[in-house]
Amino acid sequence: MAVAGPAAAAAAPAAPRVTPGSAAHAGAGDLREVMFVGNNWDGTADVIASHGDFSRIGRINVIPDKAQRLTEIYLNPVKLIYFLGIRNGAGEGHDQFVDDMYSTPDGSAMVVSRPSFADVVSIDMATGRVNWRFPVSGYRSDHMAVSPDGTRVAVSASTSNTVHVLDIRTGKQLGSFKTGDKPHENVFTDGGKYLWNMSIGEVNTALDDPAMDWTKGDRRITVVDAATFKEVKVIDMRSRLDAFGRKDLSDAVRPVAFTPDQSKLYFQVSFFNGFLEYDVASDRITRAKTLPKNPATSEDRTTWVNDSRHHGMSMNSAGDKLCIAGTMDDYATIVDRNSLQEGPLVPASKPYWATVSGDGASCVISESGADRVTAIDFATGRKVASVAVGDHPQRVRIAHVAADWTSPAG
């Protein structure tokens, strides 16, 4: 992929076509499609039905080695400083035990990033035991992504500005690359040929006034060749936002969603109650959507969780509807992609993520403030189901488990 100019724009990496249940192992007779819900403060993950009533099937403990990890941390003063820093910063007074999770292609294991333990582990779905553990560089692990073929998992190492790419079955590192400050979201594109990383900069300080934006660090999208891990493009949204006339907006790119035809990228940024549209071919921002504010939400930016205002978005497989989690405004809404008109504002308690259901009919959000996941119908914009889960759910991912899977004993 070229880096600049019209020819480069035409050759820019494209997003994978998102189809519900599209995994390398989907359709296998002995596997069941489910959703994993990561309960960050619990250190558990709920397994729920991927559509219909979204009922809870079981739960798995993703920190079975907690005592061993805590012993290592408390015996290392530097690790302890970061561990307590995560608790008092991003964790809002809680340890962060699960950020992201995916299933292996055969459905036998759940691969989990654990921020407070600065690692990625594979948990055996049958026994609940750790298959392998990969300590990330630095002191905190964050968002992950799995390649379209299900064999590779990328994880952001927040404090070392690094993304590690691992073999999902063995935990062996296949490669890594450097990013901007505080790498966050990862997305494989073009059938797994490229890997995009969005760095969000420093989000745990109180220097949230726009005049202090320069203190937030180097925030950019880094695109690498997923085979060689060589950088092929850097997208600095600061210059694109300025050219679009939105110098007032942060350039810290948060959750993103690509269109099925791979031509547009929709993204949220820090402090903004809305999202933007980026045209991949022309390399420019083309539209912005400001969504309603909740009058009960404080305008004091230092009270917003990790510089978020809205955090979580997904797109249906037809590419005509977006689902937006209005985190600090306590709602979620379905937005028509053509008109950018939002639908009903569905009340939700600190919604933190948005994922498309297995049948493609609903958007599933995590209500981190209410310990629930809630499904919203893409067609009507109305809530259709809500299910209780563990403490502070964040990431929700489509996954697969054995058809007869039940929670491990103990």
Side-chain angles (χ1 to χ4, degrees):
M1 180 180 67
V3 177
R17 185 174 298 274
V18 180
T19 55
S22 60
H25 51 277
D30 57 347
L31 292 179
R32 177 181 184 180
E33 183 188 78
V34 297
M35 280 183 155
F36 288 163
V37 181
N39 304 311
N40 195 12
W41 297 348
D42 260 359
T44 64
D46 282 307
V47 180
I48 67 173
S50 66
H51 59 278
D53 62 1
F54 299 92
S55 58
R56 191 162 74 87
I57 299 164
R59 177 174 289 177
I60 191 161
N61 174 21
V62 302
I63 49 171
D65 55 340
K66 180 179 179 181
Q68 181 181 355
R69 300 283 79 82
L70 289 177
T71 297
E72 293 172 354
I73 289 167
Y74 276 89
L75 290 175
N76 184 314
V78 176
K79 286 185 177 181
L80 180 58
I81 289 170
Y82 277 93
F83 178 79
L84 296 176
I86 292 169
R87 176 186 294 173
N88 296 315
E92 303 173 69
H94 302 264
D95 297 323
Q96 292 192 309
F97 289 132
V98 48
D99 186 275
D100 215 341
M101 71 256 108
Y102 288 92
S103 59
T104 53
D106 62 4
S108 66
M110 174 189 292
V111 177
V112 187
S113 60
R114 308 188 298 183
S116 288
F117 291 162
D119 65 10
V120 181
V121 292
S122 170
I123 304 291
D124 188 290
M125 292 298 292
T127 67
R129 297 176 183 146
V130 176
N131 292 319
W132 54 256
R133 174 175 182 258
F134 180 86
V136 301
S137 55
Y139 300 96
R140 186 178 182 276
S141 55
D142 199 54
H143 287 229
M144 299 198 299
V146 164
S147 59
D149 64 3
T151 64
R152 296 168 289 160
V153 59
V155 58
S156 290
S158 301
T159 64
S160 68
N161 300 343
T162 301
V163 171
H164 302 279
V165 181
L166 314 176
D167 183 305
I168 201 169
R169 292 172 293 252
T170 67
K172 178 182 178 181
Q173 178 169 273
L174 303 174
S176 66
F177 62 93
K178 287 297 182 178
T179 67
D181 291 332
K182 299 296 173 65
H184 192 56
E185 182 83 321
N186 294 292
V187 182
F188 280 95
T189 68
D190 198 31
K193 184 175 182 180
Y194 298 105
L195 178 55
W196 294 47
N197 175 266
M198 294 71 176
S199 61
I200 60 172
E202 182 55 64
V203 298
N204 298 131
T205 70
L207 302 176
D208 294 340
D209 185 274
M212 301 301 294
D213 186 71
W214 61 273
T215 66
K216 297 291 185 177
D218 176 18
R219 294 154 294 179
R220 55 188 167 95
I221 297 175
T222 303
V223 186
V224 301
D225 183 302
T228 65
F229 309 105
K230 299 295 185 183
E231 184 180 289
V232 294
K233 186 169 186 176
V234 171
I235 303 170
D236 176 6
M237 283 299 179
R238 177 73 277 142
S239 61
R240 277 76 170 174
L241 285 163
D242 292 352
F244 183 67
R246 295 305 302 263
K247 293 183 179 181
D248 59 311
L249 293 181
S250 168
D251 59 349
V253 176
R254 312 302 289 257
V256 303
F258 280 97
T259 52
D261 68 1
Q262 310 179 358
S263 64
K264 299 284 196 300
L265 172 70
Y266 293 84
F267 64 97
Q268 295 166 315
V269 297
S270 291
F271 306 118
F272 182 44
N273 51 300
F275 59 90
L276 298 112
E277 176 188 81
Y278 170 78
D279 185 83
V280 176
S282 63
D283 188 23
R284 65 188 182 91
I285 294 170
T286 46
R287 293 193 293 175
K289 173 63 178 179
T290 301
L291 287 164
K293 293 182 178 181
N294 184 338
T297 299
S298 170
E299 289 299 321
D300 179 359
R301 289 184 172 206
T302 64
T303 65
W304 301 350
V305 178
N306 301 326
D307 290 0
S308 299
R309 179 128 193 185
H310 289 186
H311 187 284
M313 67 189 310
S314 62
M315 184 180 296
N316 65 346
S317 58
D320 59 358
K321 298 286 181 66
L322 284 158
C323 177
I324 304 297
T327 309
M328 300 311 302
D329 290 302
D330 288 331
Y331 69 76
T333 189
I334 303 299
V335 177
D336 181 88
R337 191 172 72 84
N338 182 50
S339 66
L340 297 188
Q341 178 61 50
E342 71 271 16
L345 303 185
V346 178
S349 181
K350 202 171 77 171
Y352 219 89
W353 198 249
T355 301
V356 179
S357 63
D359 62 4
S362 302
C363 169
V364 180
I365 60 169
S366 58
E367 293 195 56
S368 62
D371 298 339
R372 307 187 68 81
V373 291
T374 294
I376 301 170
D377 186 83
F378 272 113
T380 67
R382 304 290 182 182
K383 179 166 72 173
V384 293
S386 192
V387 179
V389 292
D391 193 8
H392 205 264
Q394 289 189 201
R395 228 65 63 226
V396 182
R397 301 291 191 188
I398 289 286
H400 291 79
V401 298
D404 59 352
W405 181 84
T406 57
S407 303

